[in-house]
Amino acid sequence: MPKWLDNAVFYEIYPQSFLDTNADGIGDFQGIINKLDYIRDLGFNALWINPCFLSPFGDAGYDVADYYTVAPRYGTNEDLKRLFAEAHKRGIHVLLDLVPGHTSVEHPWFRESMKPERNEYSDRYVWTDSVWEAPENMGCLRALSQRDGSCAVNFFTCQPALNYGYYNRTRPWQQSPEDEGPRATLEAMMDVMRFWLTMGCDGFRVDMAMSLVKNDPDGLGTIALWQKVFNVLEREFPEAAMVSEWGEPEKSLQGGFHMDFLLHFGPSHYNDLFRCQEPYFSDRGLGDASKFVERYLESREKAGKDGLICIPSGNHDMTRLAKHVEGEEKKLAFTFLLTMPGAPFVYYGDEIGMRYVENLTSVEGGYERTGARSPMQWDSCVNAGFSAAPKEKLYIQQDPAADRPTVAQQLPDPDSLLNFVKQLTQLRQAHPALQNRGGIHFVSNGAPKQALAYEREQAGEKLLVAMNPFREAVAFPYSGKLGEALFTFGGAASQKGEAVQLPPVSAVIYRLD
């Protein structure tokens, strides 16, 4: 288990939209390098960079055409290597986004697999035996070449599915994970990982990690596949960190992943907190966090003490946090995000409350996600400091509002969301109990009209974190004795007997005697 994950706090960068330094309207590696000091000063010591490999960008880079070459619009392989080095100088680790489940139709592997003559890539993708037969429960590509058969796609039609085998096989063309083709696919992906880890990358966020072995309803085949990967990684790259897009920590962590994301789909009830009609972190007081807490504790128990469950502020696939959680509510949401166990992930721009931009035309397969991918808002200059290109050349349209939030506005304001986030990351790093591997015990589960409160404990330190997002004061039973107040927002708590009362729209962190 990489030691650096013990206190890692991640910042997600969508490279297209972060900072453009050559005035082409698209962000680049130099833009990320230019802002590493900003990221470090905010308290983030780890990055997740969305796909940056060569691609036709039918799905924003999740359709890879060459795993070994970065997209020229971002720079060169040497530029990315320099980004790793500059980040490391500042104590920042970097994860790249690995897409092992599918490629672009333009990938050379796929071009070879389409040939009717057998070759080493014929079984690199999931093909049926006949063009008239589609894969079960999957879309497909047909009649792209003279090869007889249909090729499965994982998501968009530009993303043919790589072949890792079928767990339950019902047709002659469905191969076992132990067959030659699936084993060659896995080894090819391992070589990709070796290449970038040797280049200086610190690990990977793995796209659709649960999807590799097909017809695998309980994930058993996919878990076994990842266990093979980690047997190699732990031997060759013991400090490499791996986080899965899976959403079921009890499965992904069993497979060997160090961290698993809670997603906006699946069983976690993550949406109950930030992204539903009545989120818990809304002062209207109609939300309910209790199902999230119940599921979180179940997953945490199944995951074991070494697995980290990551709760993101958002990501490139979700609407922005600020669409659902407004005003001071965002500060309570960040109090939660930055005081929970596991490695927190903050999506670029959420630290200043960037808005979801409504009604944008889809860009690079974004569709409704496009509004969460708008360019970062740095200052009041042209294009909010993102790019010196003409406005019409920008990758995605920016928030047009005159009062759009910017970093330059918020940095000097001690009451800004930006400085609130900075205060919390500093507090997290200063207190072992708040860090990634600290224990947690909920004392109030955020049921309707109830506080969300929990004890955090590690290395002999024990703290109480409590939040009340509602417009009226709330109390919860508590027999522990509050000590020093380490953090208060919206007013201090008061303790009377075996109850703690929180003011409206408030959050507190107390040392426990």
Side-chain angles (χ1 to χ4, degrees):
M1 177 71 69
K3 183 67 177 173
W4 64 268
L5 289 180
D6 289 356
N7 69 341
V9 182
F10 282 87
Y11 189 80
E12 179 191 350
I13 292 178
Y14 195 67
Q16 297 94 317
S17 293
F18 195 60
L19 181 63
D20 169 24
T21 62
N22 62 359
D24 66 354
I26 297 176
D28 45 53
F29 293 140
Q30 186 59 51
I32 298 173
I33 292 171
N34 288 358
K35 293 299 182 181
L36 287 174
D37 288 339
Y38 164 79
I39 293 166
R40 180 198 60 193
D41 291 346
L42 273 182
F44 297 99
N45 56 10
L47 297 179
W48 160 27
I49 300 176
N50 290 121
C52 54
F53 306 121
L54 193 67
S55 170
F57 291 98
D59 185 20
Y62 285 92
D63 48 331
V64 178
D66 182 350
Y67 288 103
Y68 291 94
T69 305
V70 301
R73 70 190 199 175
Y74 301 132
T76 64
N77 282 21
E78 193 62 35
D79 292 329
L80 182 53
K81 183 179 179 181
R82 186 163 57 89
L83 193 163
F84 296 149
E86 290 296 327
H88 294 161
K89 287 179 185 177
R90 294 162 173 82
I92 298 173
H93 291 83
V94 183
L95 300 186
L96 294 182
D97 211 322
L98 183 71
V99 188
H102 50 260
T103 69
S104 164
V105 290
E106 296 185 11
H107 198 291
W109 296 348
F110 186 65
R111 293 186 183 277
E112 290 297 311
S113 79
M114 288 194 296
K115 293 179 178 179
E117 302 82 17
R118 290 285 301 173
N119 61 66
E120 65 176 302
Y121 300 100
S122 295
D123 294 329
R124 184 61 54 90
Y125 296 83
V126 178
W127 286 90
T128 69
D129 285 338
S130 168
V131 73
W132 310 116
E133 181 181 3
E136 297 172 307
N137 304 314
M138 298 181 73
C140 67
L141 298 169
R142 302 176 193 255
L144 292 182
S145 71
Q146 296 310 306
R147 174 173 179 168
D148 194 6
S150 300
C151 185
V153 296
N154 262 354
F155 196 55
F156 292 158
T157 54
C158 61
Q159 295 166 324
L162 286 163
N163 180 22
Y164 296 92
Y166 276 69
Y167 188 71
N168 293 311
R169 299 182 298 282
T170 60
R171 301 292 297 151
W173 50 265
Q174 295 174 353
Q175 297 181 336
S176 161
E178 299 304 320
D179 285 343
E180 182 178 355
R183 286 192 292 108
T185 303
L186 182 58
E187 188 56 41
M189 200 55 59
M190 285 295 304
D191 285 343
V192 170
M193 296 165 70
R194 291 182 178 104
F195 179 84
W196 290 109
L197 290 168
T198 303
M199 187 80 78
C201 164
D202 298 296
F204 300 93
R205 175 269 191 185
V206 179
D207 179 69
M208 293 179 65
M210 79 296 280
S211 71
L212 301 193
V213 177
K214 305 305 183 188
N215 204 8
D216 185 21
D218 297 319
L220 299 178
T222 304
I223 289 170
L225 179 149
W226 283 113
Q227 287 173 342
K228 292 179 183 177
V229 172
F230 283 99
N231 285 338
V232 175
L233 282 182
E234 289 170 3
R235 182 174 65 253
E236 297 182 14
F237 301 96
E239 286 302 300
M242 300 287 286
V243 56
S244 58
E245 183 189 33
W246 198 310
E248 295 180 87
E250 61 273 21
K251 294 180 180 178
S252 62
L253 300 175
Q254 183 183 345
F257 282 95
H258 305 118
M259 305 180 278
D260 184 69
F261 276 113
L262 295 188
L263 302 172
H264 57 300
F265 55 87
S268 71
H269 286 276
Y270 165 86
N271 280 350
D272 296 358
L273 302 173
F274 313 118
R275 288 174 173 80
C276 62
Q277 186 172 354
E278 291 295 343
Y280 178 76
F281 286 103
S282 164
D283 66 6
R284 290 185 296 273
L286 300 176
D288 182 357
S290 63
K291 290 185 175 62
F292 164 82
V293 171
E294 179 182 3
R295 178 66 186 180
Y296 177 84
L297 291 175
E298 288 175 2
S299 295
R300 185 172 167 85
E301 181 178 356
K302 292 176 181 176
K305 64 181 179 65
D306 290 331
L308 301 180
I309 299 174
C310 307
I311 309 175
S313 69
N315 66 38
H316 60 288
D317 283 335
M318 306 179 191
T319 54
R320 283 274 182 187
L321 178 71
K323 178 177 173 67
H324 309 275
V325 179
E326 303 172 342
E328 300 292 75
E329 300 165 359
K330 290 193 286 290
K331 293 183 176 179
L332 295 184
F334 270 106
T335 303
F336 168 79
L337 287 163
L338 293 170
T339 60
M340 284 287 285
F345 278 72
V346 175
Y347 185 44
Y348 83 95
D350 280 353
E351 75 274 19
I352 58 171
M354 274 180 60
R355 304 178 181 116
Y356 176 80
V357 185
E358 303 280 356
N359 303 316
L360 291 183
T361 300
S362 177
V363 176
E364 294 184 353
Y367 301 99
E368 76 281 355
R369 303 172 296 178
T370 302
R373 301 174 177 183
S374 60
M376 181 66 175
Q377 295 157 197
W378 294 105
D379 54 41
S380 59
C381 294
V382 171
N383 300 319
F386 164 71
S387 172
K391 180 179 179 181
E392 60 271 14
K393 285 186 65 177
L394 295 190
Y395 164 72
I396 291 175
Q397 179 184 331
Q398 288 186 307
D399 180 355
D403 65 343
R404 62 190 178 194
T406 69
V407 171
Q409 292 167 350
Q410 295 195 16
L411 272 175
D413 179 1
D415 295 325
S416 68
L417 180 62
L418 181 70
N419 282 309
F420 188 86
V421 170
K422 182 176 181 177
Q423 181 185 2
L424 282 168
T425 58
Q426 291 173 341
L427 191 68
R428 185 180 182 97
Q429 298 296 7
H431 292 277
L434 293 177
Q435 292 176 14
N436 301 358
R437 301 196 186 283
I440 187 168
H441 170 67
F442 284 89
V443 295
S444 183
N445 69 356
K449 296 292 186 180
Q450 292 186 24
L452 187 61
Y454 40 87
E455 296 173 338
R456 297 292 316 277
E457 186 171 10
Q458 185 173 228
E461 181 182 51
K462 190 173 184 180
L463 307 177
L464 176 72
V465 181
M467 288 152 279
N468 172 23
F470 314 132
R471 297 169 186 167
E472 62 273 358
V474 298
F476 60 93
Y478 189 66
S479 58
K481 182 173 174 54
L482 301 185
E484 174 191 6
L486 301 177
F487 172 88
T488 60
F489 167 71
S494 59
Q495 186 170 27
K496 295 181 181 179
E498 294 193 352
V500 170
Q501 180 166 291
L502 299 172
V505 192
S506 65
V508 298
I509 302 175
Y510 281 88
R511 195 184 303 278
L512 296 176
D513 292 340

